[in-house]
Amino acid sequence: MTNKPFSVSCPLPFGENDTIQLAHGGGGRLMQQLIEHLFLPAFDSAGVRESHDGALLSPKSERLAFTTDSYVIHPLFFPGGDIGKLAVYGTVNDLVMCGARPRYLSAGFILEEGLPIKTLQSVVASMQAAALACGVEIVTGDTKVVDRGKGDGIFINTAGIGEIESPQDIGPSQVRPGDHIILSGDIGRHGIAVMAIREGLEFDTTIESDLAPLCEPVLSLLEAGVEIHCLRDLTRGGLASAVNEIAEAAGICITLDEAAIPVEEQVRGACEILGFDPAYVANEGRFIAFIPEKEVGRALDILHAFPLGKAACLIGVAREKETSEAAVTMKTKIGVERIVDMISGEQLPRIC
Ligand code: MG
């Protein structure tokens, strides 16, 4: 990485109260200044410096993972993160779930007329810090401006390329009956943190989003040669949606053990007040891994060494699917089994 230190207080040729104007979108002078004084210093990579139509990449691996996601979270800043950090870590985590080491990102900004330039500056600084933290380079990007009222401040799209170093094939089709399911930590914090700030709910203590890059714990598992069949981050729709998607794609049944799934007391309380099931609430720094039973002990030992994985635990198993059987069931704390369905509609819109 060649990024120079950058801070939100770096001098820009803009006034304190300057905002994005529609004229900036067409390559106006101010947009040129934003590129020169904001985007280039923050995302200083060989690709960006070249001022070419695209970035030229020289990956070392033959196998690459490629993904994209758009970020429309409201509000832009929330306890534990902001849209910039989310746009970097969200795409990085999808690459990591493919078993890849994240290397390159693109960043597309859709800015609403009237957005304070100061706000854009903090989002960009946050993206730069997030990219540095997980060793990815933002190598190409684009900015468009839309009319006032036609956006919501900032929307960001990031696409990412990662290099696959491990010889393993990781994905839903690799899941086998008998696989054990490991969860990397407590669930539900991102969705509740965003909801609480958005709806002005007052809880005793502030719940922070779990937003974090998953590179270190996952790449450590792969480097240690732990056999992994499938990985999935528990974003929109939470744990319940992730296991349903995998069960369906793999044609297997999954039984989860409710008592084993960690949920922080404040999150549980907030879910009770709001009428949410924590299993469906979004996370931005949690994942599940489907691994053979013989790898469970070793995988948990490795994960427990990272702050992000210190609460990692075994939460369920995959089984052969009998006809007409529900894809996912949960053994509840009182010992009965209930069906865990795919969620219909969105429980919490605009949380990612
Ligand atoms: Mg994902």
Side-chain angles (χ1 to χ4, degrees), residues 42-124:
F43 307 143
D44 181 29
S45 65
V48 168
R49 268 196 311 274
E50 192 67 24
S51 295
H52 197 4
D53 273 348
L56 305 180
L57 310 174
S58 310
K60 293 178 209 82
S61 304
E62 268 180 28
R63 297 170 80 214
L64 302 176
F66 181 33
T67 188
T68 185
D69 210 338
S70 298
Y71 300 88
V72 299
I73 192 163
H74 175 78
L76 298 175
F77 299 86
F78 52 87
D82 59 71
I83 190 170
K85 195 171 165 186
L86 182 65
V88 171
Y89 291 159
T91 294
V92 156
N93 288 346
D94 278 342
L95 293 171
V96 173
M97 295 301 106
C98 300
R101 182 182 298 280
R103 292 289 311 276
Y104 310 108
L105 293 187
S106 71
F109 295 84
I110 296 177
L111 308 175
E112 184 191 5
E113 191 177 19
L115 174 80
I117 286 173
K118 263 182 11 191
T119 305
L120 179 61
Q121 214 179 343
S122 346
V123 168
V124 167

Side-chain angles (χ1 to χ4, degrees), residues 184 215-221 299-312:
S184 67
C215 325
E216 277 200 324
V218 172
L219 294 175
S220 298
L221 290 173
L300 288 178
D301 284 347
I302 292 171
L303 291 176
H304 290 161
F306 294 94
L308 257 182
K310 64 179 193 300

Side-chain angles (χ1 to χ4, degrees), residues 67 69 90-91 93-95 97 231-236 245 284:
T67 188
D69 210 338
T91 294
N93 288 346
D94 278 342
L95 293 171
M97 295 301 106
L231 294 162
R232 184 60 58 97
D233 53 350
L234 310 178
T235 53
R236 193 166 46 177
E245 284 163 16
E284 288 293 345

Side-chain angles (χ1 to χ4, degrees), residues 182-186 214 234 285-288 303 308-313:
I182 281 179
L183 168 64
S184 67
D186 68 310
L214 297 170
L234 310 178
R286 296 289 179 266
F287 69 95
I288 47 171
L303 291 176
L308 257 182
K310 64 179 193 300
C313 55

Side-chain angles (χ1 to χ4, degrees), residues 222-235:
L222 289 168
E223 278 160 13
V226 173
E227 185 180 339
I228 298 177
H229 293 164
C230 187
L231 294 162
R232 184 60 58 97
D233 53 350
L234 310 178
T235 53

